[in-house]
Amino acid sequence: MNFSSKLLQHAVEEFGRLPGIGNKTALRLVLHLLKQSDQEVSRFTQAIDQLKEKIQYCQECYNISDEPICEICRSIKRDKSTICVVEDTRDVMAIENTNQYQGVYHVLGGLISPMDGIGPSDLKIEGLLERLRKGEVKEVILALSATMEGDTTIFYLYRKLREFDVEVSTIARGIAFGGELEYVDEITLGRSILTRVPYERNSSWK
Amino acid sequence: MNFSSKLLQHAVEEFGRLPGIGNKTALRLVLHLLKQSDQEVSRFTQAIDQLKEKIQYCQECYNISDEPICEICRSIKRDKSTICVVEDTRDVMAIENTNQYQGVYHVLGGLISPMDGIGPSDLKIEGLLERLRKGEVKEVILALSATMEGDTTIFYLYRKLREFDVEVSTIARGIAFGGELEYVDEITLGRSILTRVPYERNSSWK
């Protein structure tokens, strides 16, 4: 792109570094910001600067929090003997939205991915083992993405968790609700037959 | 969405105000920024703050520029007797990329759009008329989008420009190169028949 201004070019390049934002989208966003008032633009940049500056992570579960211990870890209603291990805070939000889980979380902050240079030491795995050493945890649920990185991380964690007296489970994989059999990929379909469950457990007719 | 942090929520809401960025995308972008180093994040916000603070518009054509008069208006190679009127700086970049235009530009900064509360006085129309009053301009090309707002603006400008001794033209509308007849909408196809041009003019076989 031929920019008429270096300042404009610089701002567009910075926006273009964000994931999923190409050059054309970046330019559209920057031109949109240029049309806003000074107050609106500084509110935008201050929100980001403040987040980056003041962000805290819960000392228990490493979820993003405004306090040293997050609301979920502080709550007396949550079952502290069950830990659900997730990749990041988006997964916590997604699971919380289901209203199906009463335990606590552990946020890894990523998945093992040799391609991206992310190894086990880059994740909050030691913090998880520390929590298990206290001996109060009975079950660890590995709720990670059904991807290569997710599977690698599950395998690594499983070997670490075997040393403890805890039950280790992974969330069920299979056909999504509303999914039509003929469009399901072979691996999912094959696995869903192998890991079939008794009708009573899977049915919502109780 | 249930955010675990007010700071996070605030940053996501600010990102979500940008055009075409929904809540989920905003959250992904904010979490991406959180993973970057402090330097990278402040480089991002500073690029935006500096752009907003120091941005200048060319005093001749109102294009975004780092100097009082932009490079195109300063260039002795450009034909100052032809002005191409466009909506914003993206259109200048698009036309410059074609390498087909040697005149200068006039950036309106928007299009007349009663729905969005944008009237003629919100655009740089007075500046255009001022340039015409100097008497050096022979042709004004209206290169605006083929939308309702574009057509409204063209109609408004055309009535204003009639008072001057200039030729007024609009860019050609018709079937795009590579376009197949059967997929072209009726209005475009109908108009392209009515505004047909002699073979020699439209052909790239010379």
Side-chain angles (χ1 to χ4, degrees), chain A residues 4 6 36 52 64 66, chain B residues 4-6 36 52 64 66:
Chain A
S4 58
K6 287 253 175 287
Q36 308 306 304
K52 187 65 185 172
I64 294 171
D66 290 340
Chain B
S4 58
S5 151
K6 287 252 175 289
Q36 307 306 304
K52 186 66 185 170
I64 294 172
D66 291 340

Side-chain angles (χ1 to χ4, degrees), chain A:
Chain A
M1 285 205 234
N2 286 321
F3 290 95
S4 58
S5 152
K6 287 253 175 287
L7 286 167
L8 178 67
Q9 181 174 7
H10 187 48
V12 169
E13 281 168 359
E14 285 296 326
F15 254 101
R17 265 185 243 280
L18 296 174
I21 306 284
N23 267 343
K24 285 206 169 180
T25 308
L27 179 57
R28 202 181 70 223
L29 297 179
V30 169
L31 291 181
H32 172 85
L33 282 175
L34 264 181
K35 280 192 183 175
Q36 308 306 304
S37 69
D38 288 358
Q39 290 89 49
E40 281 171 302
V41 173
S42 65
R43 212 175 54 197
F44 174 77
T45 55
Q46 276 173 19
I48 299 164
D49 283 335
Q50 287 215 349
L51 175 70
K52 187 65 185 172
E53 203 178 301
K54 298 185 183 164
I55 192 79
Q56 289 188 56
Y57 295 90
C58 171
Q59 290 167 11
E60 274 289 311
C61 72
Y62 299 102
N63 192 12
I64 294 171
S65 169
D66 290 340
E67 283 157 276
I69 303 288
C70 77
E71 222 174 294
I72 294 173
C73 289
R74 270 203 324 263
S75 167
I76 49 163
K77 287 184 188 157
R78 309 296 294 231
D79 168 17
K80 306 282 191 305
S81 71
T82 309
I83 293 181
C84 181
V85 178
V86 295
E87 180 182 347
D88 67 21
T89 192
R90 277 178 292 182
D91 304 322
V92 174
M93 287 163 69
I95 295 172
E96 283 299 287
N97 275 337
T98 68
N99 285 321
Q100 297 287 326
Y101 181 65
Q102 291 306 318
V104 291
Y105 293 93
H106 191 86
V107 179
L108 292 177
L111 295 174
I112 296 172
S113 172
M115 291 278 283
D116 303 316
I118 303 173
S121 59
D122 298 313
L123 309 179
K124 302 294 182 195
I125 293 174
E126 192 42 50
L128 174 63
L129 303 180
E130 202 57 57
R131 288 171 82 180
L132 295 179
R133 281 187 200 110
K134 291 179 189 154
E136 284 161 26
V137 179
K138 291 188 187 120
E139 184 178 0
V140 174
I141 304 170
L142 303 176
L144 303 179
S145 294
T147 58
M148 179 98 100
E149 290 78 17
D151 278 344
T152 308
T153 312
I154 286 174
F155 183 67
Y156 182 88
L157 286 174
Y158 181 68
R159 290 201 313 177
K160 288 273 173 192
L161 295 175
R162 271 193 311 196
E163 298 165 19
F164 297 88
D165 182 26
V166 290
E167 217 176 297
V168 180
S169 58
T170 62
I171 53 170
R173 292 180 182 178
I175 298 161
F177 278 86
E180 294 187 47
L181 267 206
E182 63 209 274
Y183 297 117
V184 176
D185 67 285
E186 293 122 19
I187 298 177
T188 303
L189 191 54
R191 277 244 221 153
S192 75
I193 290 170
L194 289 175
T195 60
R196 62 194 177 277
V197 290
Y199 174 71
E200 298 80 28
R201 274 191 59 202
N202 232 358
S203 169
S204 43
W205 303 83
K206 294 239 169 98

Side-chain angles (χ1 to χ4, degrees), chain B residues 8-148:
Chain B
L8 178 66
Q9 181 174 5
H10 186 50
V12 170
E13 281 168 357
E14 284 296 327
F15 254 102
R17 264 185 244 279
L18 296 174
I21 307 283
N23 268 343
K24 284 206 168 180
T25 307
L27 179 56
R28 200 181 73 222
L29 297 179
V30 169
L31 291 181
H32 172 84
L33 282 175
L34 264 181
K35 280 192 183 175
Q36 307 306 304
S37 69
D38 287 357
Q39 290 88 47
E40 281 172 300
V41 173
S42 65
R43 211 175 55 198
F44 174 78
T45 54
Q46 275 173 19
I48 299 163
D49 283 334
Q50 288 215 347
L51 175 70
K52 186 66 185 170
E53 203 177 303
K54 299 184 183 165
I55 192 78
Q56 289 189 56
Y57 295 89
C58 171
Q59 291 167 9
E60 275 289 310
C61 72
Y62 300 102
N63 193 12
I64 294 172
S65 169
D66 291 340
E67 282 155 277
I69 303 287
C70 78
E71 221 174 295
I72 294 173
C73 289
R74 269 203 324 263
S75 168
I76 49 163
K77 289 185 187 155
R78 309 296 293 231
D79 169 17
K80 305 285 192 302
S81 71
T82 309
I83 293 182
C84 180
V85 177
V86 295
E87 179 183 348
D88 67 21
T89 192
R90 277 178 293 182
D91 304 322
V92 174
M93 288 163 69
I95 294 173
E96 284 299 287
N97 276 336
T98 68
N99 285 321
Q100 297 288 326
Y101 181 65
Q102 292 305 318
V104 291
Y105 293 93
H106 190 87
V107 179
L108 292 177
L111 295 174
I112 296 173
S113 172
M115 291 278 283
D116 303 316
I118 303 173
S121 60
D122 298 314
L123 309 179
K124 302 294 181 193
I125 292 175
E126 192 43 48
L128 173 63
L129 304 181
E130 201 58 54
R131 290 172 81 179
L132 295 180
R133 279 185 203 115
K134 291 178 190 156
E136 284 161 27
V137 179
K138 292 190 188 116
E139 183 179 0
V140 175
I141 304 170
L142 303 176
L144 303 178
S145 295
T147 58
M148 180 100 98

Side-chain angles (χ1 to χ4, degrees), chain B residues 149-162:
Chain B
E149 290 80 16
D151 277 344
T152 309
T153 312
I154 286 174
F155 184 67
Y156 181 89
L157 285 176
Y158 181 67
R159 290 201 314 177
K160 288 273 173 192
L161 296 174
R162 271 193 310 195

